[in-house]
Amino acid sequence: MDISIHYAFLPHTDAEAALGFYRDTLGFEVRKDVGYEDMRWITVGPVGQPGTSIVLHPPAIDPGVTEEERATVLDLIAKGAYAAITLATDDLDGLFARLEAAGADVVQEPIDQDYGVRDCAFRDPAGNLIRVNQRD
């Protein structure tokens, strides 16, 4: 049985800022950009990897979510405590330099972790935690 991860979902609080970050700063391609009323779902992914995508979506829009719950979700997103994803690259230091030069919100500079991974971390425009591992 062959199982792969096809979509991961991260909330965005500003579609244009998310698009600029994932497309222009990370270099992902835009696969879909779907709007409905005043909301947008943007699907992005690494060039050359059509089977793996991130869907950037409006947060807490389910009709069963109360305004108080929505406010809590938005607070958690802003703190970087709501959603996270880990990416991998062959050139961690080069990617870190590019992200830092673009003004990304750096959480952790590249470091060799005690558990055997070299990684860095930053936040996207919504506050989602993005970790990046150095690929072996």
Side-chain angles (χ1 to χ4, degrees):
M1 179 180 296
D2 181 15
I3 298 174
S4 62
I5 296 172
H6 189 57
Y7 292 111
F9 290 78
L10 290 176
H12 72 74
T13 54
D14 179 332
E16 288 303 316
L19 185 60
F21 180 78
Y22 286 92
R23 181 192 59 205
D24 303 335
T25 303
L26 282 179
F28 284 4
E29 63 186 5
V30 177
R31 301 199 173 131
K32 292 183 185 175
D33 189 340
V34 179
Y36 176 73
E37 296 180 356
D38 62 347
M39 298 174 285
R40 280 172 74 186
W41 288 257
I42 304 166
T43 304
V44 297
V47 175
Q49 298 179 44
T52 303
S53 298
I54 297 171
V55 178
L56 305 166
H57 64 88
I61 58 166
D62 185 289
V65 174
T66 67
E67 283 305 313
E68 183 178 325
E69 292 166 336
R70 186 177 188 323
T72 299
V73 167
L74 291 172
D75 286 345
L76 291 170
I77 291 169
K79 290 178 183 178
Y82 187 76
I85 194 164
T86 300
L87 308 175
T89 182
D90 293 331
D91 183 8
L92 181 66
D93 294 312
L95 178 59
F96 180 81
R98 187 171 84 206
L99 291 166
E100 188 175 41
D105 181 8
V106 174
V107 174
Q108 173 201 305
E109 294 187 6
I111 187 171
D112 293 319
Q113 301 287 1
D114 293 340
Y115 46 89
V117 172
R118 179 169 173 76
D119 70 354
C120 68
F122 56 93
R123 297 195 192 288
D124 74 4
N128 298 307
L129 181 64
I130 311 291
R131 297 199 72 82
V132 184
N133 290 353
Q134 173 69 46
R135 203 176 280 131
D136 293 332

